[in-house]
Amino acid sequence: MKVYINGKFFDQADAKISVFDHGFLYGDGIFEGIRLYSGCVFRLEEHLERLEYSAKAILLDLPWTRKQISDATCEACRVNGLKDGYIRLVVSRGVGSLGLSPKSCASPQLIIIADKIQLYPPEFYEQGLKIITVPTRRCNPAALPPTIKSLNYLNNILAKIEAQNLGFHEAVMLNDQGYIAECTGDNIFLVHKGKLFTPPFSAGALSGITRGAVLDIAKKLKMPVEEKNLTRYDAWIADEIFITGTAAEVVSIIEMDGRPIGTGKPGPAAKKITAEFKRLVKKDGTKI
Ligand code: PMP
């Protein structure tokens, strides 16, 4: 595999960045996780827009145009001979001194890893997933707006570990007010009486690209949608729950906090949305 670093491609073993990069020292940077389907990058413009917003929010001036990043992303896929894959795009603050101040960092670094996709086991999709609410909360927006897709994932990692320690693959994270924010790397949706509910960004949900695609699909299917603060109770009594993300796509949740959700099996709304999503990824991409 060849990895793109600042305009050049390196063999995987030689793809290295400095230990003085503030992305490494402080998590000072941002990233995107993107899917390549049948030679087309899914919603690349939306990913790059989110990256630009994350950069702006952390006062990081991107020294590349959107076109340059887009071209480099497609090139990374081509160089690696990929038709289907997962792309990790990282922008770090760059190499600096040991102090916190980004002023010591001369220039940001752009790293693009385009690799084969490690799909989740098929039983996740066929049987659905059991999840649990964990103690670690999503970031308070006053501390770090959770809409920034930053390199600081430590509380999400702790939430993941807490779920795994209890035998679950995924965790529900609440915000500091106790409302549902999302999962550790996926957005969450509830279905109740034919209506779709999902937490708003203000509740700590990332502006997920898959979340956006699902909202588009719901519109097309004329399924009513409401973005509102959701409690664990709302989830427990939902007819269906599913989670969405670039890597996971759409996964049904069949149990939460020890309560079966709906019939305890993947529900019809999630199945319909999954089928539409599979159609959408075939036509909503940038050819590499
Ligand atoms: N929430 C978090 C915290 C994430 O890291 C991600 C991306 N892995 C998502 C939600 C889903 O976003 P997307 O659909 O853009 O992958």
Side-chain angles (χ1 to χ4, degrees):
M1 191 219 304
K2 300 268 188 198
V3 178
Y4 174 102
I5 306 177
N6 302 325
K8 292 197 194 109
F9 283 94
F10 297 86
D11 285 332
Q12 188 170 337
D14 301 320
K16 293 174 183 162
I17 60 154
S18 166
V19 293
F20 292 98
D21 190 303
H22 280 208
F24 173 72
L25 287 175
Y26 297 117
D28 187 353
I30 52 178
F31 77 102
E32 282 297 317
I34 311 172
R35 275 293 276 275
L36 174 73
Y37 291 101
S38 311
C40 292
V41 185
F42 184 60
R43 297 202 164 180
L44 179 56
E45 289 298 312
E46 288 186 26
H47 278 286
L48 296 182
E49 182 179 72
R50 186 171 68 182
L51 184 82
E52 287 164 6
Y53 291 161
S54 293
K56 195 161 186 188
I58 70 162
L59 296 102
L60 189 156
D61 285 330
L62 293 172
W64 317 280
T65 62
R66 186 180 300 186
K67 171 96 171 51
Q68 282 171 323
I69 304 179
S70 169
D71 288 349
T73 304
C74 293
E75 197 186 356
C77 296
R78 285 196 303 273
V79 163
N80 286 294
L82 294 169
K83 286 275 168 270
D84 292 277
Y86 179 86
I87 307 154
R88 174 58 57 92
L89 210 155
V90 182
V91 177
S92 70
R93 186 76 70 175
V95 177
S97 63
L98 284 181
L100 276 180
S101 171
K103 286 202 172 107
S104 70
C105 303
S107 60
Q109 310 217 59
L110 173 61
I111 295 136
I112 306 173
I113 308 166
D115 200 0
K116 290 190 186 71
I117 175 85
Q118 298 273 317
L119 292 174
Y120 289 117
E123 57 266 27
F124 272 37
Y125 299 91
E126 287 150 19
Q127 294 156 21
L129 214 57
K130 297 178 180 180
I131 56 175
I132 190 160
T133 311
V134 294
T136 296
R137 298 277 167 120
R138 191 77 173 131
C139 274
N140 179 323
L144 178 68
T147 29
I148 301 172
K149 199 160 165 63
S150 83
L151 295 182
N152 287 269
Y153 258 52
L154 204 45
N155 54 337
N156 291 43
I157 291 165
L158 293 184
K160 187 88 172 177
I161 292 170
E162 286 160 0
Q164 285 173 339
N165 283 347
L166 294 167
F168 295 85
H169 287 288
E170 191 46 279
V172 175
M173 296 181 77
L174 307 178
N175 63 21
D176 59 341
Q177 295 170 301
Y179 291 112
I180 294 173
E182 57 179 358
C183 292
T184 63
D186 296 304
N187 290 109
I188 190 164
F189 286 84
L190 314 183
V191 184
H192 193 59
K193 295 186 175 173
K195 189 169 172 181
L196 211 53
F197 295 90
T198 197
F201 305 145
S202 58
L206 185 81
S207 173
I209 304 302
T210 324
R211 177 186 184 275
V214 166
L215 293 177
D216 292 346
I217 289 168
K219 203 170 174 187
K220 189 184 153 202
L221 296 176
K222 299 200 169 24
M223 210 174 169
V225 178
E226 193 177 345
E227 293 180 50
K228 69 168 217 175
N229 283 333
L230 298 166
T231 62
R232 289 207 297 156
Y233 169 81
D234 295 326
W236 298 338
I237 63 153
D239 301 320
E240 288 182 48
I241 302 179
F242 60 88
I243 60 175
T244 65
T246 292
E249 299 177 326
V250 181
V251 182
S252 285
I253 301 302
I254 51 166
E255 184 193 290
M256 177 172 148
D257 300 337
R259 283 102 169 150
I261 302 302
T263 61
K265 294 204 173 88
K271 282 185 186 160
K272 212 190 251 177
I273 287 167
T274 303
E276 283 294 326
F277 183 75
K278 286 191 187 309
R279 269 194 281 278
L280 188 66
V281 298
K282 289 206 181 92
K283 58 176 194 160
D284 233 5
T286 304
K287 209 167 175 342
I288 58 170

